[in-house]
Amino acid sequence: MTVRTRGGIHLAAHLPGGGGLIARTGSYEGPRTGSYEGPRTRSYEGPPNDPYEGPRTDFASFEHLARTAERGLFDFLLLTESPRPREHRGTTHDPGVVGHPEPLTVLHGLAAVTGRLGLAAAVGAGSDESYGLARRLATLDHLSGGRAAWATVTSRDTVPGEDLRRDGAPDPADRRRGGSRPTRTTEAALARSAEFVERARELWESCPPEGVPRASARRGRRVDVAGEFGVPRSPQGHPVIIHADGSGGGREFAASTAEVVITRHRTPQAGREFRADMERRLATYGRAPGDLKIMPAVTVVLGDTAAEARERAADIRRQGISEGDLTVAPREIRGAGLSSYDLDGPLPEAYGPPSYVGTPEAVAAELDAFVTAGAADGFVLVPRPAPGGLDEFVDRVVPLLQERGAFRTEYTGTTLRSHLGSARPLWKG
């Protein structure tokens, strides 16, 4: 078992889009009412003017979120988007998707207003072309000075971007019987993602340090690429790979490919068991335990007292049920064994990432204890309420973690890999 060191907690922030990499956050995705309306603590009121007020395409909101994460010395900010609304019986029931800008485009803008924060985008292998996506990610990595990350997305749902198939058609086995629209099993989605990442890395490696592009051509089962790749290597070599999937196939993918894996473990024991399993898998690929950072996705709700925090958490969960959830969620709740819960009440905590609810002192102690126990390397914070909860966490919890010696007091490097403590990949030629 890997021994955890003091001052080594890693923190990241995740702002979900319409569906997101980490489902069921309980964050409010309905009409924008201002992130500081609704539940507050008595002693913390947040900024005097709501920095998130306005349309979802307002860049100022993303800028404030990124600057807050950087002020809190976070490793990275993860933006996700669901390219297609969820469907149920032929009807679209996910209006929350509409109005979210494309993550990579937003991150290019954020690169200009931040200097150290890692910038991660969740993009599915089924929603883009390998060459185009590899080039856009490498461009972000180069222009940001080595701060880009790619969160690979695998889904069993209908493949978004099904009309963009210039780099290989879906496997016949991935098609619905009697229809032309492709659907993916978890195994097929993981297989495509693995090949997609492999092709992207080959393209990133095809441009030598001196920056003279070389031709690259590779035909695979699912992904084909050909052409010269002229984007030079960034200060961190190439973008960091993030993965979020705790299934058996997802663990194998993370062990072979990823540098960060996002999990949903609720107890230290579950986290330690996951770590032990991942360390065994890493060894089969010749990788060391420290080559993969384990970061559970968590939500945090703060209060001046434990009772106030619980009251805020219940209020936030009630706000987190969208019109789409009311239509689609009952089917998912039955499948998840949650049919005994009141559909008119808030979703139970089990229906989302683990949640830390309490005073800032209590939450800081719990986060520190979880990492010290060897259950994780850090956390991906899903702000609650979204997105203004990040301001409160940075202002009230981060200083306490620093006082405990559990979190950095300054950035010691300029690239995302330096924040993660990962080595820069050598050019293989």
Side-chain angles (χ1 to χ4, degrees), residues 24 84-95 157-158 176 181 323-335:
R24 298 289 172 258
R84 167 178 291 153
R86 288 177 294 174
E87 297 180 5
H88 179 52
R89 296 180 179 177
T91 303
T92 298
H93 296 291
D94 206 347
D157 297 332
T158 300
R176 285 200 183 106
R181 175 176 289 180
E323 179 182 347
D325 290 328
L326 292 174
T327 304
V328 180
R331 176 186 57 181
E332 300 175 351
I333 290 175
R334 286 194 295 272

Side-chain angles (χ1 to χ4, degrees), residues 38-291:
R40 307 181 183 214
T41 66
R42 287 185 291 272
S43 64
Y44 184 80
E45 292 295 320
N49 298 313
D50 182 6
Y52 303 106
E53 187 175 9
R56 298 183 185 189
T57 54
D58 187 356
F59 181 74
S61 297
F62 291 99
E63 180 180 359
H64 180 87
L65 186 75
R67 288 185 184 275
T68 300
E70 188 166 70
R71 177 168 60 85
L73 305 177
F74 279 39
D75 287 20
F76 61 87
L77 169 66
L78 171 62
L79 299 184
T80 66
E81 177 187 39
S82 178
R84 167 178 291 153
R86 288 177 294 174
E87 297 180 5
H88 179 52
R89 296 180 179 177
T91 303
T92 298
H93 296 291
D94 206 347
V97 173
V98 179
H100 288 277
E102 192 274 324
L104 264 175
T105 303
V106 175
L107 293 178
H108 274 86
L110 294 180
V113 297
T114 56
R116 299 293 183 89
L117 180 70
L119 305 169
V123 183
S127 61
D128 212 327
E129 299 174 280
S130 55
Y131 182 92
L133 178 57
R135 185 175 179 82
R136 287 191 292 138
L137 285 164
T139 299
L140 173 62
D141 202 31
H142 183 70
L143 295 180
S144 66
R147 296 186 285 132
W150 174 18
T152 58
V153 179
T154 56
S155 174
R156 292 172 293 179
D157 297 332
T158 300
V159 178
E162 62 193 32
D163 297 325
L164 302 176
R165 287 285 171 234
R166 299 176 201 167
D167 61 351
D171 294 337
D174 292 346
R175 292 187 177 276
R176 285 200 183 106
R177 186 174 301 174
S180 60
R181 175 176 289 180
T183 186
R184 293 201 180 279
T185 63
T186 300
E187 293 76 14
L190 285 167
R192 178 175 173 83
S193 290
E195 189 173 335
F196 205 94
V197 173
E198 183 181 357
R199 295 293 88 80
R201 280 181 165 161
E202 289 172 354
L203 288 169
W204 294 333
E205 291 290 339
S206 69
C207 189
E210 60 269 19
V212 179
R214 297 180 181 180
S216 176
R218 186 73 174 268
R219 183 175 182 83
R221 180 183 178 187
R222 300 170 179 83
V223 181
D224 302 335
V225 295
E228 290 187 349
F229 193 79
V231 182
R233 285 167 61 87
S234 80
Q236 70 169 355
H238 56 68
V240 168
I241 302 297
I242 300 171
H243 188 60
D245 184 0
S247 66
R251 294 186 187 195
E252 200 67 23
F253 178 90
S256 65
T257 303
E259 292 149 280
V260 176
V261 61
I262 301 175
T263 70
R264 295 176 65 172
H265 298 110
R266 298 179 178 278
T267 66
Q269 179 62 30
R272 286 191 294 267
E273 292 173 357
F274 179 85
R275 179 182 292 282
D277 179 57
M278 292 306 300
E279 290 183 357
R280 287 192 294 268
R281 295 174 190 262
L282 286 165
T284 65
Y285 294 97
R287 304 181 68 193
D291 290 343

Side-chain angles (χ1 to χ4, degrees), residues 345-404:
L347 292 175
E349 284 297 326
Y351 196 54
S355 186
Y356 290 86
V357 179
T359 64
E361 294 79 9
V363 168
E366 288 186 71
L367 296 177
D368 187 19
F370 200 89
V371 172
T372 302
D377 296 296
F379 305 92
V380 177
L381 179 67
V382 185
R384 296 179 70 176
L390 183 63
D391 296 79
E392 189 172 8
F393 183 90
V394 167
D395 291 337
R396 307 189 73 188
V397 178
V398 167
L400 297 175
L401 291 173
Q402 292 169 331
E403 289 177 7
R404 301 174 70 91

